[in-house]
Amino acid sequence: NTLNNNIKVIFGDAGEHIYGDGTDLKIISSGNVSITGSLTLSSGVTNSTSIQIKDSSGNVLKTMYGTTS
């Protein structure tokens, strides 16, 4: 089944949910997000593609840029 834009899938409490707006996928946690195993992120990676790690206030802690090789 497909959910409409901005519909949340809630885990545990409303502070933990996943939703998409048709463009971006958001994973929200009231604490940490733990991933066991390997994680592969791919999406037409180019030199202008970036991944940002932010703190709870939205401050950027690290930015990583994609490569074409």
Side-chain angles (χ1 to χ4, degrees):
N1 292 341
T2 302
L3 298 175
N4 292 328
N5 291 350
N6 297 313
I7 301 296
K8 296 178 184 177
V9 177
I10 298 174
F11 302 89
D13 62 45
E16 299 175 343
H17 55 275
I18 299 173
Y19 72 96
D21 62 8
T23 300
D24 299 314
L25 176 67
K26 310 281 185 173
I27 301 173
I28 310 301
S29 174
S30 53
N32 295 327
V33 175
S34 299
I35 299 172
T36 302
S38 59
L39 173 66
T40 301
L41 302 173
S42 63
S43 174
V45 176
T46 67
N47 285 332
S48 62
T49 302
S50 67
I51 297 171
Q52 291 187 327
I53 299 173
K54 298 180 181 181
D55 64 17
S56 59
S57 298
N59 299 308
V60 177
L61 301 175
K62 182 163 182 79
T63 300
M64 297 166 283
Y65 294 96
T67 63
T68 55
S69 58

